[in-house]
Amino acid sequence: MSEGLQQTHERRVLGTELLWAFGVGVLVTATLSLIVFTALTRGINPPSNVERVDPKTLHLSGEFAEQNLGTVVAADGIVTARIIATQFMFAPHCIALPQGQPVTLRFASPDVIHGILITGTNVNTMVVPGYVAQVHTEFARGGELLMPCHEYCGLGHSEMWANVQVLSAGEFKPDRDGRLTCAQR
Ligand code: CUA
């Protein structure tokens, strides 16, 4: 190849490279902007609640003690459900939650890593021992939903699931302490 031809060739290669770099730059910028935009305006983000809890004592006292598990409606109307995920069950085995109202779900594990999702909703998180897994959501529809463990946690993993009863405003009636358990059906 003559020197002139080679220079033209190299210039063309450089042009192509810059074009690709520009395209990738646009894609990366668009993706990052979308992530920041949806996080700020729609509250869409990965569960990233860094809140520690001692897995050795969480069932003895504090918010994950047995009497505090399940759904509770605070005096200001805020609905929170506390659930322990443990080999190979959830405690409680069923939680009642209201339809069309913001709810907060808080999970903790005393043993190994579990994962939970609620079928047909955007609720999906890992439950890592030592941390409280927290999810905010709002159920659009009522009915009985399945909440299986979706992280292999041992031989009984496939037997580990719970139910979520999403109740209408008429059915969602907490007692005087603001507590509510699943309706027997
Ligand atoms: Cu718990 Cu799988």
Side-chain angles (χ1 to χ4, degrees):
M1 228 187 285
S2 77
E3 209 167 295
L5 251 178
Q6 197 161 352
Q7 271 176 6
T8 320
H9 180 69
E10 274 173 14
R11 219 173 295 130
R12 202 175 296 149
V13 167
L14 181 68
T16 313
E17 283 179 348
L18 286 177
L19 197 66
W20 274 99
F22 178 73
V24 170
V26 167
L27 268 179
V28 168
T29 310
T31 309
L32 289 178
S33 311
L34 205 62
I35 290 170
V36 171
F37 176 76
T38 52
L40 293 179
T41 62
R42 308 280 315 277
I44 296 173
N45 46 48
S48 54
N49 184 45
V50 181
E51 194 183 330
R52 285 167 209 278
V53 64
D54 186 353
K56 294 197 292 293
T57 57
L58 65 86
H59 60 294
L60 299 177
S61 63
E63 70 165 297
F64 289 100
E66 192 176 356
Q67 70 272 17
N68 295 327
L69 296 178
T71 304
V72 64
V73 184
D76 53 8
I78 290 177
V79 183
T80 308
R82 296 186 171 84
I83 302 120
I84 285 187
T86 182
Q87 287 170 318
F88 298 100
M89 57 174 285
F90 289 96
H93 190 62
C94 180
I95 51 171
L97 290 167
Q99 181 189 345
Q101 227 189 98
V103 298
T104 301
L105 307 173
R106 289 170 65 77
F107 300 87
S109 163
D111 40 46
V112 300
I113 298 176
H114 302 273
I116 67 106
L117 62 80
I118 302 180
T119 47
T121 72
N122 65 347
V123 176
N124 188 332
T125 187
M126 305 297 294
V127 186
V128 180
Y131 295 90
V132 177
Q134 179 169 273
V135 181
H136 302 286
T137 193
E138 194 171 321
F139 296 100
R141 276 163 300 167
E144 192 110 355
L145 302 174
L146 199 62
M147 185 173 81
C149 178
H150 69 41
E151 178 69 26
Y152 182 75
C153 50
L155 286 177
H157 163 69
S158 60
E159 303 300 314
M160 185 172 168
W161 50 271
N163 284 106
V164 176
Q165 274 183 9
V166 183
L167 304 173
S168 65
E171 293 172 307
F172 190 77
K173 294 257 184 277
D175 67 11
R176 290 224 315 260
D177 301 326
R179 308 205 58 95
L180 193 83
T181 52
C182 281
Q184 302 300 319
R185 294 182 175 178

